[in-house]
């Protein structure tokens, strides 16, 4: 059972995000970088599946700057066997389609039975990369998976949707995107962290994958801005409840024009 997990390094959600001077990107300094939390679920699913089947390998694949090695090493410390990083010297320049195209090109050169991907990334939050990769590889996909069973040559998954849950089956090879509720990712142990330092991690350039620069990018970020701050709440503190209610009605009628 050979499994590949698509992993992305993202800013920790606790980081203080600032817009860069160009107004189109974020400031990359002083940010704590972590593995995308939904990708952690994907790594855990891959490790459990490999161990359940009693053999095979789990390969971590990422497209990003060289600091993304840290996220791959985290996955290796969790128990993955090897990692591949496709170096992108200009992070956050590419769109979802371009990212999926690079990953799909790499996957055509890697043996796999199943590809796992987080359902979303907490930075761009597009819910698109995994599905786009499956489309480019022309393999079945099941998204938003919260339950997973492996048969001889097929997968049966519980998929969560806005309207409820569905149980779907598809043949392998296939791509699965993982959602919260599928599992609780393990923490890397100290022995695992030490072993991860010796596990193979290849860093490849786009040219090594047969991909020519410049990349074809279909959409670009024109501008970023923070949401407008909400107005502070207006407290009504009259002497009695009746007076407070009357004051509220007055404000809604005369100032807010809601009634």
């Amino acid at each position: 059972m050979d499994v590949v997990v698509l992993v992305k390094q993202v800013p920790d959600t606790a980081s203080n995000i600032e817009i860069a001077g160009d107004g189109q990107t974020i400031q990359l300094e002083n940010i704590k970088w972590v593995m995308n939390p939904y990708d952690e679920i994907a790594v855990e699913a891959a490790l459990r599946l490999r161990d359940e089947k009693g053999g095979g390998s789990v390969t971590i694949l990422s497209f990003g700057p060289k600091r993304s090695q840290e996220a791959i090493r985290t996955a290796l410390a969790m128990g993955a066997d090897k990692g591949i990083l496709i170096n992108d010297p200009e992070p956050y320049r590419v769109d979802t389609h371009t990212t999926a195209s690079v990953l799909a090109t790499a996957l055509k050169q890697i043996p796999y039975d199943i590809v796992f991907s987080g359902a979303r990334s907490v930075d761009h939050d597009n819910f698109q990369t995994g599905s786009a990769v499956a489309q480019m590889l022309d393999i079945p996909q099941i998204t938003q998976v919260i339950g997973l069973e492996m048969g001889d040559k097929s997968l049966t998954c519980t998929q969560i949707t806005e309207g409820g849950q569905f149980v779907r089956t598809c043949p392998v090879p296939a791509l699965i995107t993982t959602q919260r509720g599928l599992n609780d990712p393990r923490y890397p142990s100290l022995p695992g962290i030490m072993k991860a330092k010796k596990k193979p991690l290849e860093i490849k350039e786009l040219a090594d994958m047969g991909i020519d620069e410049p990349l074809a990018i279909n959409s670009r970020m024109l501008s970023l801005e923070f949401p407008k701050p909400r107005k502070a709440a207006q407290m009504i503190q009259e002497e009695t409840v009746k007076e407070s209610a009357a004051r509220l009605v007055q404000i809604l009628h005369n100032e807010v024009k809601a009634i």
Side-chain angles (χ1 to χ4, degrees):
M1 177 61 62
D2 293 321
V3 184
V4 178
V5 186
L6 308 181
V7 164
K8 183 179 184 181
Q9 188 188 55
V10 298
D12 190 325
T13 53
S15 296
N16 183 28
I17 304 299
E18 296 291 342
I19 298 175
D22 61 7
Q24 298 175 329
T25 56
I26 63 172
Q27 292 183 3
L28 301 181
E29 299 79 15
N30 302 319
I31 288 180
K32 179 182 178 182
W33 298 93
V34 298
M35 188 198 308
N36 178 44
Y38 291 87
D39 296 344
E40 291 181 352
I41 299 171
V43 172
E44 180 65 28
L47 296 176
R48 293 187 185 187
L49 190 58
R50 178 201 61 190
D51 296 343
E52 176 187 328
K53 293 301 179 180
S57 65
V58 173
T59 301
I60 307 301
L61 176 62
S62 183
F63 174 46
K66 289 187 177 180
R67 56 172 162 73
S68 299
Q69 294 177 78
E70 300 170 9
I72 296 177
R73 288 292 182 196
T74 298
L76 295 177
M78 291 171 67
D81 300 289
K82 55 187 175 181
I84 300 173
L85 171 63
I86 305 169
N87 180 39
D88 179 12
E90 299 179 55
Y92 287 95
R93 64 172 172 158
V94 298
D95 59 7
T96 300
H97 182 272
T98 306
T99 298
S101 178
V102 171
L103 293 171
T105 299
L107 282 164
K108 291 175 182 178
Q109 305 173 39
I110 305 171
Y112 64 86
D113 297 294
I114 301 173
V115 179
F116 281 103
S117 171
R120 54 189 279 205
S121 62
V122 297
D123 52 358
H124 287 161
D125 218 17
N126 287 329
F127 288 80
Q128 295 177 0
T129 302
S131 295
V133 170
Q135 178 69 23
M136 292 172 184
L137 294 175
D138 194 24
I139 60 175
Q141 61 172 301
I142 303 179
T143 59
Q144 306 274 54
V145 168
I146 60 171
L148 174 68
E149 291 184 11
M150 182 72 193
D152 290 336
K153 295 182 179 181
S154 65
L155 282 168
T156 300
C157 301
T158 301
Q159 177 189 51
I160 189 169
T161 69
E162 187 175 348
Q165 297 180 7
F166 293 93
V167 177
R168 303 188 186 276
T169 300
C170 71
V172 295
L175 186 144
I176 304 298
T177 72
T178 56
Q179 182 58 278
R180 292 190 188 278
L182 176 60
N183 57 51
D184 293 318
R186 70 194 69 183
Y187 289 102
S189 64
L190 181 58
I193 294 172
M194 299 304 294
K195 291 178 181 178
K197 296 179 180 180
K198 299 180 180 180
K199 291 181 179 179
L201 197 169
E202 297 181 72
I203 300 179
K204 297 186 176 183
E205 302 298 326
L206 290 169
D208 299 330
M209 313 302 297
I211 301 173
D212 296 328
E213 287 270 33
L215 292 171
I217 301 173
N218 298 306
S219 61
R220 298 181 183 275
M221 186 70 68
L222 297 180
S223 64
L224 289 173
E225 61 182 39
F226 290 109
K228 293 181 179 179
R230 296 180 179 179
K231 294 181 179 179
Q234 182 176 348
M235 304 300 296
I236 300 174
Q237 296 177 323
E238 304 296 335
E239 292 186 2
T240 66
V241 173
K242 184 177 180 179
E243 290 174 343
S244 295
R247 176 59 179 153
L248 174 60
V249 171
Q250 183 185 39
I251 292 172
L252 292 175
H253 178 72
N254 297 330
E255 299 179 21
V256 182
K257 307 296 185 183
I259 58 175

